[in-house]
Amino acid sequence: MVATPPRPAVPDHQPGSVAVLGIPFDEYSSFMRGPAKAPPIIRRTLHNGASTLFTENGIDLEGHPNIVDQGDLKLPDGDDAIDAIQAAVAGLAARGQRILALGGDHAISFPVVNALADHYDGLQILHLDAHPDLYDAFEGNRFSHACPFARIMETGRIDRLVQVGIRGMNTAQRRQVDKFGVTCIEMKDFNPDRRVELAGPVYLSVDLDVLDPAHAPGVSHHEPGGMSTRDVIGLIQSIRAPVVGADIVEFNPDRDSNGLTAAVAAKLFKEIAGMMLLQRA
Ligand code: MN
Ligand code: MN
């Protein structure tokens, strides 16, 4: 589990256990920086005593042998960081670990997924976000946090990309949705009972701005009209296909109010971890 230090090292990981990896990278955020500060704040919130480490499906994450905190990556600048993230995830995946990444901005998803695609054929992605993040380039940067799913899809190694919660797509983004054959469930068509059928292996990417800013104000891009925290939890808990990797990205502590978004990030962390542990790979 996300360790309250110091905790004795958990014996090295059994295959299929979940590696928690902090990825403090926000250099390619287009609008404001801040998400690089998120991983330690999410960890601190998990252990602040406000709630237990039990998930809603009854798993106690405290000291759980199949979830191991790998700490935060120390990253070089720029594109070297993208390569370093990919190498770190490749190392964990080579040891049979599943990944639960704490961003960072959404730029981290490309190197994480790219590393996992070396290990899993037919990866399907469930992407929760207010934005499709499918730009070919944004302000000249092909690795911008506005582009990861274009980079991921053009590898040709992804079986299916399902996006949920999108709102306010422009013409260029809609063209990319068509180009890459993305299943896009826009927020205007979403209802809380909506479920997404996936066949594993699955990667789950949660951009916290999929939530309405009333639920999660601590994000760089406020896009009202989004999901409730319960909507997101409902989607997480409905996943039946095996999940081999996940991320929680775009928490910007500089924009938070009263620790509310930190609590949401910690809650979603617990529910994603609980869902992955119940599956036991
Ligand atoms: Mn995003
Ligand atoms: Mn977004």
Side-chain angles (χ1 to χ4, degrees):
M1 182 38 232
V2 174
T4 15
R7 173 184 295 286
V10 177
D12 205 20
H13 331 295
Q14 305 154 31
S17 63
V18 176
V20 178
L21 186 63
I23 308 182
F25 181 79
D26 64 9
E27 223 181 301
Y28 290 168
S29 282
S30 57
F31 181 58
M32 55 174 64
R33 305 281 294 267
K37 300 173 189 167
I41 294 174
I42 297 171
R43 285 192 179 80
R44 218 180 303 137
T45 303
L46 280 162
H47 291 283
N48 69 6
S51 62
T52 71
L53 284 169
F54 270 81
T55 66
E56 292 188 2
N57 65 8
I59 291 175
D60 186 2
L61 298 179
E62 184 78 50
H64 195 291
N66 290 344
I67 181 164
V68 182
D69 194 347
Q70 300 289 347
D72 293 346
L73 292 178
K74 304 233 179 323
L75 293 168
D77 295 333
D79 290 0
D80 289 344
I82 302 293
D83 294 340
I85 294 164
Q86 184 165 331
V89 173
L92 294 167
R95 287 148 64 194
Q97 301 295 287
R98 293 179 290 161
I99 307 296
L100 177 40
L102 302 176
D105 70 28
H106 225 150
I108 71 153
S109 296
F110 168 60
V112 173
V113 171
N114 215 18
L116 291 175
D118 286 338
H119 289 268
Y120 302 100
D121 289 333
L123 208 53
Q124 300 201 347
I125 300 175
L126 177 59
H127 167 207
L128 313 185
D129 202 325
H131 316 96
D133 293 352
L134 282 166
Y135 283 108
D136 183 53
F138 197 81
E139 293 170 346
N141 183 359
R142 288 169 54 79
F143 295 103
S144 161
H145 74 152
C147 307
F149 292 92
R151 295 294 80 73
I152 287 167
M153 293 310 285
E154 69 193 10
T155 67
R157 301 198 291 169
I158 300 304
D159 195 54
R160 188 164 177 236
L161 171 59
V162 181
Q163 300 184 323
V164 188
I166 311 298
R167 41 203 195 269
M169 251 193 299
N170 66 19
T171 310
Q173 290 164 327
R174 212 170 277 284
R175 212 175 288 133
Q176 293 289 84
V177 164
D178 294 340
K179 173 182 168 184
F180 291 117
V182 178
T183 302
C184 190
I185 302 169
E186 293 182 58
M187 195 64 209
K188 67 182 174 59
D189 303 318
F190 178 78
N191 72 67
D193 299 323
R194 183 83 188 240
R195 293 294 175 255
V196 180
E197 291 303 321
L198 298 162
V202 166
Y203 186 85
L204 170 67
S205 185
V206 181
D207 181 329
L208 288 184
D209 68 30
V210 75
L211 291 143
D212 193 276
H215 291 254
V219 297
S220 300
H221 301 261
H222 287 162
E223 190 65 46
M227 291 188 195
S228 70
T229 309
R230 181 49 56 181
D231 291 338
V232 177
I233 292 171
L235 282 169
I236 293 167
Q237 292 177 342
S238 72
I239 296 173
R240 294 289 172 267
V243 174
V244 298
D247 62 51
I248 299 170
V249 297
E250 297 284 345
F251 167 36
N252 185 340
D254 294 342
R255 302 267 274 173
D256 205 3
S257 173
N258 240 345
L260 173 60
T261 313
V264 169
K267 174 73 176 178
L268 297 182
F269 171 89
K270 287 196 287 187
E271 291 309 304
I272 293 170
M275 177 266 294
M276 291 174 80
L277 289 169
L278 194 68
Q279 295 181 331
R280 301 184 69 86

